[in-house]
Amino acid sequence: MTAKSIFIGLMQMAIVLTGVAAIVALAWFPLLEGRAANLNLPAIYLDPFILYGYAASATFFTGLYQVFRLLGYLRRDEWPSRKSRRALRIIRYCAILSAFLVGAAGLYIKVAHHPDDDPAGFLALCMIYVAVSVGAAFAAAGAERKRRGPVGQRS
């Protein structure tokens, strides 16, 4: 086993742990929210905004899965392939869509929050997430461009 293979395996393990941590956070966070104090379990998890968050997280998990697959292609030295280019394109689209969906949630909270609530923390998290997602989209686009080679060359 080469050092490259071990390193990529560790990165894949980190991707899996990130996904598990995100699932735990998605399941646990609604219980910690202030509105959940007087609600029963179905009312907490069937809140429209929570359901929107679960639906929007599908883009995050799809992108995470594609990163895992891309690392597998790198481990098997299949980097210059159509599969890797497709994975990079899906990662880019997932990052862009995820940034848009989280930004829309932030705008909704900014406009529709209760006057007694302070949405600053949520909005800050939204801005950080959008910045990271846009950065991931640019990184995937750059890797896609680099993988393609010069403008005239197509594989």
Side-chain angles (χ1 to χ4, degrees):
M1 216 178 230
T2 65
K4 173 186 158 189
S5 180
I6 292 171
F7 179 70
I8 291 174
L10 289 173
M11 288 176 60
Q12 284 181 317
M13 190 180 306
I15 294 295
V16 169
L17 290 175
T18 300
V20 169
I23 289 172
V24 168
L26 283 170
W28 190 31
F29 179 74
L31 297 173
L32 302 176
E33 186 184 11
R35 288 181 30 169
N38 299 324
L39 298 176
N40 59 4
L41 220 48
I44 292 171
Y45 286 106
L46 293 177
D47 180 88
F49 193 71
I50 298 296
L51 291 175
Y52 175 81
Y54 289 150
S57 69
T59 59
F60 172 79
F61 289 111
T62 301
L64 211 57
Y65 174 68
Q66 292 301 321
V67 170
F68 185 86
R69 288 183 65 192
L70 185 63
L71 289 170
Y73 298 145
L74 285 172
R75 177 186 264 185
R76 293 186 305 271
D77 289 327
E78 294 177 13
W79 169 245
S81 68
R82 289 182 189 264
K83 291 186 226 175
S84 65
R85 188 172 58 215
R86 184 173 188 268
L88 284 167
R89 187 173 51 249
I90 292 171
I91 291 167
R92 181 170 40 109
Y93 291 153
C94 284
I96 291 168
L97 183 58
S98 185
F100 175 77
L101 292 172
V102 170
L107 286 174
Y108 171 77
I109 290 296
K110 175 69 177 155
V111 171
H113 71 87
H114 191 274
D116 295 338
D117 288 341
D118 182 18
F122 180 77
L123 294 176
L125 289 175
C126 286
M127 288 188 284
I128 291 169
Y129 187 87
V130 167
V132 169
S133 292
V134 169
F138 274 112
E144 222 179 332
R145 234 178 275 114
K146 185 175 183 181
R147 191 223 135 320
R148 253 195 321 244
V151 175
Q153 282 184 334
R154 302 283 184 228
S155 58

